[in-house]
Amino acid sequence: MEQRPPVAPAWDPAKVAGADRELRVRFERFSGALARTAGLEDVDVALGIVAREGRGLVCGSATLACAPDADGMWRGAIADAAGTRSASAALMEAARAGLSGADPGTGAASVVPGAAVVTSQTDPAGGMPCVLAVWFEVEAWTASPTRNEVLDAFTTHAAITLANARIYEAAGAALQHERDVVRQKDDFVAMVSHELRTPLTAILGSVSTLRRLGGPMDEERCVQLLDMADRQGARLTRLIEDLLRVAAAESDIEPSQLAPIDLVAFVSELEPELAEIAAGRLTVASECGDGVVRADVRKLRQILTNLVDNALKYAPDSPIEVVVHDCGGRRALSVVDHGPGIPEADRERVFDRFVQLDQSSTRSTGGTGLGLYLCQQLVRVQHGTLTISTTPGGGSTFTVALPGDHTPSEGNIR
Ligand code: ADP
């Protein structure tokens, strides 16, 4: 029988077994990395884990993982033998541009001769951009299509993981905001109840004493109790009016009617009205030629009246000046007094609701602690700022700075 010469197999079993093993190892690493990077809830933590897992997946010396946050700002993490840390903007930019040789150690986009870098990125048009860059030691480097495929697949998975973490973070922030709003509302209701109850208790107390002792009570005591009921009734009315104003300002019931207003003309027009309540203590000055701002005239009037009213109450013997001037490139209106002033430490909280610094003086002056809060709300909806400083020589200066008029037509904002 004819002996056929042995036929050499078309494949080398040793080679196939080697390739098989390599594939299996890659697959095992890949599925492990997938499991460890699933369900992450914090973007920065997720970036660190993705970078670390990416490095282990293809045995690189360092890995960068980066992706944009909800505001489009790129955030990234580097993982190498030293651990995990956040990546510099320069390095992220280099990796995104696919700049091979960018140095992960320095974080700068400098070129390291001979260093190999493999960059993998998802299509930004897909809505979930993510970039993974892996650096290899020069001696450990060999080209490998399967490694690149695994890296690409992992980058796609990382993009989804990071997008989920972003959604989780956004949902967490929204929930926290919701909780804060509910808590603020509860606090406000508690404060309002307390503030309303105080004068009401005084009124009811006076009436009840009058009823009990009405007959034998001397006239002076009787007048005292009636005065007290009167004062507290007036306080209650002021409180309710201020609360309604605050509610209107907060709920934007009246959208701002923004229009060009010349502050110098505005103050001159209001001067007679203010002078009447100021009993000769008020002067008006302008330190700039014109002061055209974009504002709501009714809201501005309310702010100025409130600030002058406060100066009259809390700086009782002082002259008061209303000055139109320049303030850091914006036109501004200041109400200046030479009274006791407001300590630096109280200048922030004085804008909170129901804050009254000197309880004895504010009770006697009929304050509600809502005036400055209301002023700040009204200034804010006009895109302005309200600040307190010390008047040279002592006293308070309240400054309302408003944006200039750059828009020719009138418009409403909410
Ligand atoms: P109020 O209704 O009590 O006047 P505001 O919110 O207007 O409430 O003011 C809060 C507190 O800030 C006042 O109770 C007072 O203690 C202090 N304050 C306001 N304006 C002045 C000022 N011009 N000088 C000194 N203290 C002031």
Side-chain angles (χ1 to χ4, degrees), residues 7-39:
V7 180
W11 42 272
D12 178 347
K15 256 192 183 166
V16 170
D20 226 25
R21 202 167 44 246
E22 186 193 324
L23 267 180
R24 208 178 48 245
V25 170
R26 283 211 190 284
F27 178 76
E28 276 165 9
R29 281 202 206 130
F30 182 59
S31 63
L34 291 192
R36 285 186 294 272
T37 48

Side-chain angles (χ1 to χ4, degrees), residues 310-311 313-314 337 341-342 350 355-358 362 367-373 396 398:
N310 272 358
K313 279 191 296 189
Y314 302 113
D337 70 49
I342 296 179
V350 92
V355 169
Q356 301 184 307
L357 297 183
D358 177 358
T362 49
T368 61
L370 288 170
L372 289 180
Y373 174 77
S396 308
F398 285 84

Side-chain angles (χ1 to χ4, degrees), residues 235 238 242 306-315 335-337 339-343 346 349-359 361-363 365-375 388 395-398:
R235 176 171 166 72
R238 270 195 306 276
D242 277 0
N306 261 357
L307 294 178
V308 169
D309 209 38
N310 272 358
L312 291 168
K313 279 191 296 189
Y314 302 113
V335 176
V336 183
D337 70 49
I342 296 179
D346 293 321
R349 73 181 191 101
V350 92
F351 289 107
D352 290 345
R353 290 173 292 202
F354 300 117
V355 169
Q356 301 184 307
L357 297 183
D358 177 358
Q359 295 277 321
S361 81
T362 49
R363 295 279 178 229
T365 51
T368 61
L370 288 170
L372 289 180
Y373 174 77
L374 183 62
C375 284
I388 309 176
S396 308
T397 297
F398 285 84

Side-chain angles (χ1 to χ4, degrees), residues 268-293:
S268 312
E269 262 170 48
L270 209 60
E271 190 180 353
E273 199 179 304
L274 295 175
E276 204 170 306
I277 51 168
R281 285 208 275 145
L282 186 98
T283 54
V284 167
S286 167
E287 292 175 0
C288 52
D290 75 274
V292 180
V293 293

Side-chain angles (χ1 to χ4, degrees), residues 120-386:
S120 169
Q121 54 186 309
T122 54
D123 177 15
M128 292 183 294
C130 170
V131 176
L132 218 69
V134 188
W135 284 260
F136 294 89
E137 301 289 339
V138 186
E139 10 350 313
W141 169 257
T142 47
S144 162
T146 46
R147 182 193 52 217
N148 293 357
E149 275 170 23
V150 166
L151 209 54
D152 282 346
F154 184 63
T155 308
T156 306
H157 161 79
I160 296 168
T161 285
L162 291 166
N164 281 343
R166 249 187 338 238
I167 293 169
Y168 199 90
E169 264 189 12
L175 196 66
Q176 188 54 43
H177 176 72
E178 195 69 20
R179 281 200 196 112
D180 287 348
V181 169
V182 170
R183 191 179 40 75
Q184 278 171 15
K185 250 191 197 152
D186 289 350
D187 289 353
F188 185 57
V189 169
M191 280 192 281
V192 169
S193 319
H194 171 78
E195 292 294 324
L196 292 177
R197 211 173 287 137
T198 309
L200 204 57
T201 309
I203 294 169
L204 293 176
S206 304
V207 172
S208 137
T209 312
L210 279 168
R211 175 165 297 147
R212 260 189 303 118
L213 309 172
M217 190 185 287
D218 67 74
E219 202 183 325
E220 194 183 338
R221 179 75 183 125
C222 193
V223 169
Q224 265 177 4
L225 287 169
L226 285 172
D227 279 352
M228 155 88 92
D230 230 23
R231 269 201 316 278
Q232 295 299 336
R235 176 171 166 72
L236 204 54
T237 309
R238 270 195 306 276
L239 248 172
I240 291 166
E241 281 168 358
D242 277 0
L243 280 170
L244 290 174
R245 282 195 200 106
V246 165
E250 282 184 338
S251 64
D252 256 353
I253 286 171
E254 300 165 10
S256 293
Q257 303 285 330
L258 297 183
I261 295 175
D262 184 339
L263 285 183
V264 178
F266 166 78
V267 170
S268 312
E269 262 170 48
L270 209 60
E271 190 180 353
E273 199 179 304
L274 295 175
E276 204 170 306
I277 51 168
R281 285 208 275 145
L282 186 98
T283 54
V284 167
S286 167
E287 292 175 0
C288 52
D290 75 274
V292 180
V293 293
R294 197 161 174 75
D296 178 310
V297 72
R298 280 187 45 230
K299 289 182 174 159
L300 200 55
R301 179 186 287 257
Q302 202 174 344
I303 295 163
L304 185 58
T305 313
N306 261 357
L307 294 178
V308 169
D309 209 38
N310 272 358
L312 291 168
K313 279 191 296 189
Y314 302 113
D317 303 316
S318 139
I320 294 149
E321 295 118 46
V322 175
V323 187
V324 179
H325 59 103
D326 262 332
C327 178
R330 282 180 148 192
R331 292 286 194 251
L333 195 66
S334 285
V335 176
V336 183
D337 70 49
H338 304 269
I342 296 179
E344 189 103 34
D346 293 321
R347 286 186 191 165
E348 218 175 291
R349 73 181 191 101
V350 92
F351 289 107
D352 290 345
R353 290 173 292 202
F354 300 117
V355 169
Q356 301 184 307
L357 297 183
D358 177 358
Q359 295 277 321
S360 57
S361 81
T362 49
R363 295 279 178 229
S364 65
T365 51
T368 61
L370 288 170
L372 289 180
Y373 174 77
L374 183 62
C375 284
Q376 196 171 53
Q377 298 297 311
L378 295 174
V379 169
R380 197 171 286 155
V381 294
Q382 297 174 80
H383 311 297
T385 54
L386 173 58

